[in-house]
Amino acid sequence: MKGFWHDAAEFFPILMSGVALTIIVTIGSLLLSTVLGLIWAMMRVSGIKVLSMLSASLINVIRGIPIIVLLFYLYFVMPDLGVTLSALQAAILGLGIAYSAYQAENFRAGIEAIDKGQIEAAQSIGMGWWLTMRRVVLPQAVRIVLPPYGNVMIMMLKDSSQASTITVAELALQGKLIASSTFKNTNVFTLVALMYLTMSIPLILLVRHFEKRAGKK
Amino acid sequence: MIELTDVHKSFGQNEVLKGITASVQKGEVVCIVGPSGSGKSTILRCINGLESYDRGEISVEGLKVDRDAASIVKVRTQVSMVFQRFNLFPHRTVLENVVEGPLYVKKEPRAQVLERGRVLLAQVGLAEKADAHPPQLSGGQQQRVAIARALAMQPKAILFDEPTSALDPELVGDVLGVMRKLADDGMTMVVVTHEMGFARDVADRVLFIDGGVIVEQGPAKSVLNQPQHPRTQDFLRRVLHPL
């Protein structure tokens, strides 16, 4: 145990540089997946058949491809097509696209959970589609959507470790590099696990808060 | 002011409106009564384009009602609707519910609209509830807020879709009282209702609908007191003397 704390003190600064990248990848891909997910969801509920079908097939294609393959594609294949991305850009783009499918389904479920009477009331005072969405549907859907959204945040934090496969030196990769050069596998990976857990706990508490709030009324 | 000419409407195989021709004059209160499933609510929902219709024509102040045309917004801002289940916006305060349409659809000046909203809430007896949220109110209070919301649009007519059917019996009177006052003030109203007392006392005209057609219509007192058609007689007997 004494050895662990000693190693922890030694490796912590290096691992912290990995944490910084982990956070950048997580937040970047969270923002991207939220924007894309909203767009897919809006297309899905637009009532315009072409848009809705396009969005449905897009979501299925994204869902059917493993994240790691998506990352390889962006990082290793895109340069052949003349688009070169840095590892960090590819990671954010890949995770953002991959998770946009789940976000979209989550947002759509939230939108469709709103009582039809709400939409009729909005229409009856002359609101069009967009105004109904903005003033009536989305503000109510947010309450429903937040708890699963929090869960997606936790999953994305952990899945950001997949960026290590395309050389992004985030927490998991930093851990692996230290472990393979020092052979202190147990101590290093225990420390890495604890650091992921430390980042997850505030998010877990946040989800619990969202769930309590959504449960009210 | 509201004209329906040979309006037909089907849901799948089920034809719910089989040629409705009727008109509502300015300042008139028309009650639509009839058994459930007879198409009463569908008529209201067609008038402001919440529902499309298959054949015939509906017009409001000479403007054709077509839910797929841009003009539907104009129809809806002239004809307000009060729903059976209130359909207030639960995430906004009572006052915000009332001013939502004038502020965001008609884009009227905020100060003026807020002032009007408070006057309307006082008119329906809920001035002190302006900052409450709808779920904190009783059904009767919510329905009166819904009426204030309809009035805030300064409509030329209001459609009421069974406005008291979802209320506890002791709360019905407050809502009917507000509606009676509106009628006295000359508001054009089309009311789908099971409240025969209200229809008899307040309505100028009653339409009795059954099976998607107007079976009988005329001045409220004569249709309700001396119904001519056997189906009307049968319906009224059941409603007035359920035992």
Side-chain angles (χ1 to χ4, degrees), chain B residues 86-121:
Chain B
F86 332 132
N87 296 349
L88 294 177
F89 306 128
H91 57 302
R92 307 210 180 277
T93 67
V94 163
L95 184 61
E96 285 168 349
N97 265 276
V98 173
V99 299
E100 182 77 18
L103 268 187
Y104 292 92
V105 178
K106 295 175 85 178
K107 304 210 163 60
E108 295 175 46
R110 177 173 284 269
Q112 187 186 319
V113 172
L114 286 175
E115 169 69 22
R116 188 165 82 228
R118 288 187 190 283
V119 169
L120 286 170
L121 282 176

Side-chain angles (χ1 to χ4, degrees), chain B residues 157-173:
Chain B
I158 303 183
L159 312 174
F160 293 84
D161 188 5
E162 302 198 28
T164 58
S165 297
L167 299 180
D168 291 335
E170 77 271 21
L171 302 175
V172 169

Side-chain angles (χ1 to χ4, degrees), chain B residues 165-182:
Chain B
S165 297
L167 299 180
D168 291 335
E170 77 271 21
L171 302 175
V172 169
D174 289 342
V175 171
L176 291 183
V178 168
M179 289 170 63
R180 178 191 288 262
K181 213 162 65 189
L182 281 184

Side-chain angles (χ1 to χ4, degrees), chain B residues 43-239:
Chain B
I43 295 177
L44 283 197
R45 295 164 58 79
C46 285
I47 292 175
N48 72 348
L50 284 183
E51 209 77 73
S52 62
Y53 49 99
D54 306 329
R55 229 157 16 102
E57 183 163 315
I58 303 177
S59 68
V60 172
E61 294 264 69
L63 195 64
K64 183 174 189 284
V65 178
D66 176 358
R67 75 191 303 255
D68 296 319
S71 61
I72 193 66
V73 173
K74 194 149 182 237
V75 171
R76 286 171 176 161
T77 51
Q78 292 184 2
V79 181
S80 290
M81 180 128 177
V82 173
F83 298 88
Q84 181 177 355
R85 302 209 46 86
F86 332 132
N87 296 349
L88 294 177
F89 306 128
H91 57 302
R92 307 210 180 277
T93 67
V94 163
L95 184 61
E96 285 168 349
N97 265 276
V98 173
V99 299
E100 182 77 18
L103 268 187
Y104 292 92
V105 178
K106 295 175 85 178
K107 304 210 163 60
E108 295 175 46
R110 177 173 284 269
Q112 187 186 319
V113 172
L114 286 175
E115 169 69 22
R116 188 165 82 228
R118 288 187 190 283
V119 169
L120 286 170
L121 282 176
Q123 206 176 311
V124 298
L126 292 170
E128 78 284 6
K129 298 286 186 191
D131 298 319
H133 278 84
Q136 300 165 328
L137 304 184
S138 73
Q141 291 171 329
Q142 289 192 50
Q143 194 60 299
R144 284 183 279 152
V145 173
I147 293 173
R149 177 172 69 179
L151 286 170
M153 295 297 287
Q154 301 186 307
K156 294 184 172 151
I158 303 183
L159 312 174
F160 293 84
D161 188 5
E162 302 198 28
T164 58
S165 297
L167 299 180
D168 291 335
E170 77 271 21
L171 302 175
V172 169
D174 289 342
V175 171
L176 291 183
V178 168
M179 289 170 63
R180 178 191 288 262
K181 213 162 65 189
L182 281 184
D184 291 344
D185 292 346
M187 176 58 77
T188 310
M189 296 160 65
V190 184
V191 187
V192 170
T193 187
H194 292 294
E195 298 289 336
M196 294 305 148
F198 177 83
R200 185 180 297 133
D201 293 350
V202 180
D204 297 304
R205 225 147 34 87
V206 166
L207 308 185
F208 174 72
I209 302 219
D210 192 9
V213 295
I214 299 176
V215 175
E216 186 167 351
Q217 61 173 310
K221 288 196 174 59
S222 72
V223 171
L224 296 175
N225 292 343
Q226 293 106 32
Q228 300 301 310
H229 198 286
R231 270 149 83 187
T232 320
Q233 292 165 357
D234 183 53
F235 171 77
L236 288 173
R237 196 166 47 239
R238 285 164 195 264
V239 171

Side-chain angles (χ1 to χ4, degrees), chain A residues 18-34 88 91-92 95-96 99 103 149 152-161 163 168 170 196 199 203:
Chain A
V19 166
L21 268 173
T22 289
I23 290 174
I24 290 170
V25 170
T26 304
I27 291 178
S29 52
L30 182 70
L31 292 178
L32 182 64
S33 69
T34 304
L88 183 62
I92 290 175
L95 282 162
Y99 269 93
Q103 300 276 35
Y149 186 80
V152 166
M153 283 165 71
I154 296 169
M155 281 158 59
M156 292 187 82
L157 172 69
K158 294 184 296 177
D159 273 347
S160 67
S161 60
V168 177
E170 44 66 70
Y196 272 114
M199 288 189 280
L203 295 177

